Amino acid sequence: MVENTSAMNRDSGEKTKPDAPVSLIGQLKRRKVFQVTSFYAVAAWGAILGAAELFPSFGLSDQHVQWFVYIAIGLIPVVALLAWLYELTPRGIVRDPEDVEAPTIMMTATVPAASSTQLTLTWRGEVHRFHSDVHIGRDPRSELHLDDPQVSRHHAEIVFHQGRWLLRDLGSRNGTRLNGELISEAYLPKESRVDLYDGGVPITISIG
């Protein structure tokens, strides 16, 4: 029940390529390890300078300053590890979705609900038309597969619920915004814009 304008490419013999493995440097950048570690290094340097000035005022010796420096340096790998494992999202600090087991909803073989109302999604100039539930994400199995490293593998879904189309976030790293408002789930109006991260290419959606 899915009509996709990219289907012509598949019919002509072009195979869909799976996601290319992301390099270690790419993962470090995506998880903001460099950014967080650099921020910590600057903050630690400022704290060390402050300790060198203030510790003597409290009767502490230079040896205490040295221990403070050792501790500050020793925490760098800890900060890098935490940056790798966790993400600061609009919903707070969460585990990186790459390290969390994929939602079981992506693995079930149940038949999605069908609707006579057409759902049209446009992303980067490509138009996709659906009459049934749509999973959105970087996973190649997603009905709307978005090849963008800032998009989570299982980012969001659109389901036909009680006669209306419902947009639901699937615990994504950067959140899902419907017409500028951060949502966990919300019914879609006839015309809408969905942003999967700040500065990204939006998905425009029309119903009917």
Side-chain angles (χ1 to χ4, degrees):
M1 296 296 293
V2 177
E3 178 186 348
N4 190 322
T5 54
S6 62
M8 295 178 61
N9 292 332
R10 294 195 296 271
D11 294 340
S12 63
E14 180 180 343
K15 296 182 179 180
T16 301
K17 295 181 179 180
D19 282 355
V22 181
S23 66
L24 176 61
I25 298 299
Q27 283 281 15
L28 290 171
K29 290 180 179 179
R30 186 188 66 77
R31 296 173 185 248
K32 298 182 175 62
V33 174
F34 293 134
Q35 181 179 341
V36 173
T37 306
S38 298
F39 178 82
Y40 169 79
V42 172
W45 178 249
I48 290 170
L49 294 179
E53 292 291 332
L54 294 176
F55 276 22
S57 301
F58 293 96
L60 299 175
S61 65
D62 291 342
Q63 186 176 8
H64 290 91
V65 176
Q66 291 177 351
W67 278 109
F68 186 86
V69 173
Y70 296 151
I71 293 172
I73 294 175
L75 285 175
I76 290 178
V78 176
V79 171
L81 178 62
L82 291 175
W84 176 274
L85 294 176
Y86 295 93
E87 286 283 346
L88 181 61
T89 73
R91 292 176 301 280
I93 298 176
V94 299
R95 282 294 302 272
D96 190 285
E98 294 285 326
D99 302 327
V100 179
E101 184 179 354
T104 55
I105 191 169
M106 295 295 297
M107 305 301 177
T108 58
T110 56
V111 178
S115 167
S116 59
T117 305
Q118 181 172 270
L119 188 66
T120 303
L121 284 70
T122 304
W123 186 72
R124 288 184 176 173
E126 296 183 359
V127 179
H128 307 261
R129 296 183 176 90
F130 303 90
H131 290 276
S132 58
D133 297 356
V134 182
H135 293 94
I136 302 171
R138 211 173 69 253
D139 192 298
R141 295 169 295 177
S142 301
E143 283 80 6
L144 185 61
H145 172 218
L146 307 182
D147 187 13
D148 187 324
Q150 295 298 320
V151 174
S152 298
R153 285 188 177 274
H154 311 289
H155 200 110
E157 65 178 356
I158 302 174
V159 297
F160 194 67
H161 180 257
Q162 297 183 349
R164 300 174 63 187
W165 290 106
L166 178 71
L167 173 65
R168 178 183 296 133
D169 183 82
L170 296 177
S172 63
R173 181 176 69 254
N174 292 316
T176 301
R177 294 183 181 273
L178 175 61
N179 293 331
E181 181 179 351
L182 184 67
I183 58 100
S184 56
E185 62 178 36
Y187 285 107
L188 291 171
K190 289 187 68 67
E191 301 288 337
S192 57
R193 165 188 169 130
V194 174
D195 293 283
L196 304 182
Y197 63 93
D198 292 339
V201 179
I203 302 172
T204 57
I205 303 176
S206 62
I207 299 174

